Amino acid sequence: MIWFTEYQTPNTGLTVKVKEAKTVKSKYQEILILDTYEYGKMLVLDGAVQTTERDEFIYHEMLAHPALIKHPNPERVLVIGGGDGGTIREVLKHPSVKEAHLCEIDEEVIKISKEYLPTISCELNNPKVQVFVEDGNKFLDERKSYYDVILLDLSDPVGPAEALFKREFYTKVKNALRENGIMAAQTESPFLQELYFKTAVNEIKQVFKYFGTYLAFIPTYPAGMWSFTLASDDVDILKYEESEFDKIKDLKTKYFCDKIYTSLFSIPKFVSDLIK
Ligand code: SAM
């Protein structure tokens, strides 16, 4: 019998029973594909769970839809990281989107996801999608005032993603957005990764005029409590327009819905205290 444990802190972890395992060592990280009893196929990078077939919809819907709903007409979207393809799949549910770019540093993550996670990577070959195998930090050096929405679907701020949680990088994101542009970033667990969370949100606040942090319940992520942050220089993130709710009616989702959107920024007091 095989069991896998992700050590989420030095003192606690998530343990799952595994049917089969495959490991690949890429230029950037150790990639594991586990076939688990409870969560289906699971993608693990350098020991950290990235996504699972059973609960991936929560993370991908919650990263993509709030930003795409809030933007008045998102046509050009960039996902940085996200080589499994789940965020791109959600982006393409918005009919206004004409171009969806994916910038993933590790080609092996894309290859493995296409082979083992077809329900997640299913839209990566869509003609609206262009895939760039590059470091997101360098990629943005050449992109100015181009995107309507940029989604940061990154692994933890250690290893290849470390620099992409700093204000110099968020400034590049801001410069790559055109008028009314919105960024959405995964900003870690405010419960078990308090410092990562506080640091990421505080860096974002230094760069953008408007911001709003929200949470989702994701069973396989540390503490099951995960955060995301929207930011913009032009769109007042905390204000709602009636037209935003019209767009939600036509979306096919399993977690994200109008009730979640209405109360998106109602977060627990201890979480808002961390980012005051
Ligand atoms: N849902 C995930 C989470 O929060 O754990 C994120 C999943 S996604 C697989 C993260 C991806 O970011 C990985 O495939 C990793 O290779 C990619 N990545 C890390 N650093 C990057 C960088 N500098 N540029 C582009 N992609 C990067």
Side-chain angles (χ1 to χ4, degrees), residues 174-193:
K174 178 164 104 167
N175 294 337
L177 289 167
R178 58 178 171 170
E179 207 187 343
N180 290 325
I182 298 178
M183 174 191 88
Q186 75 86 350
T187 42
E188 306 282 308
S189 171
F191 195 88
L192 276 183
Q193 298 165 325

Side-chain angles (χ1 to χ4, degrees), residues 175-228:
N175 294 337
L177 289 167
R178 58 178 171 170
E179 207 187 343
N180 290 325
I182 298 178
M183 174 191 88
Q186 75 86 350
T187 42
E188 306 282 308
S189 171
F191 195 88
L192 276 183
Q193 298 165 325
E194 199 182 297
L195 189 62
Y196 284 168
F197 167 70
K198 266 166 69 166
T199 311
V201 177
N202 282 321
E203 294 289 280
I204 292 171
K205 274 166 70 178
Q206 305 301 317
V207 173
F208 289 91
K209 187 167 169 199
Y210 302 107
F211 87 102
T213 291
Y214 58 96
L215 302 180
F217 170 70
I218 305 176
T220 57
Y221 282 3
M225 181 188 255
W226 204 250
S227 76
F228 303 86

